[in-house]
Amino acid sequence: MSYDLIQTLIVAVIVAVAAAMMARRLFPRTAEAVARRLGLKPAAKPAAGCDSGCASCNGCKTLNFDLPPKK
């Protein structure tokens, strides 16, 4: 291999890594979706129980947030 070809390949790798890092920073959701499709990142598990949101268990309705008046 010639020196020019090796130098071109190294520059191409540096540019590709920089472009991937920039895309990940500017488009985080898209970058995560692409990573999942390529198998680089496992799919997110759906949240269950109290982690899935307020409407899942209605626990907020059972708590009494009314404070007694200050004297």
Side-chain angles (χ1 to χ4, degrees), residues 3-70:
Y3 179 74
D4 292 334
L5 180 61
I6 293 172
Q7 184 178 3
T8 303
L9 290 175
I10 291 172
V11 171
V13 168
I14 292 171
V15 170
V17 169
M21 290 175 63
M22 185 182 67
R24 196 173 83 184
R25 186 165 186 119
L26 292 176
F27 310 107
R29 289 185 196 158
T30 305
E32 284 186 28
V34 169
R36 270 191 242 109
R37 288 194 127 202
L38 294 175
L40 301 174
K41 192 172 191 180
K45 295 180 182 177
C50 290
D51 292 338
S52 62
C54 285
S56 64
C57 66
N58 293 326
C60 295
K61 291 181 183 178
T62 61
L63 297 175
N64 185 6
F65 289 108
D66 295 331
L67 297 174
K70 291 184 179 181

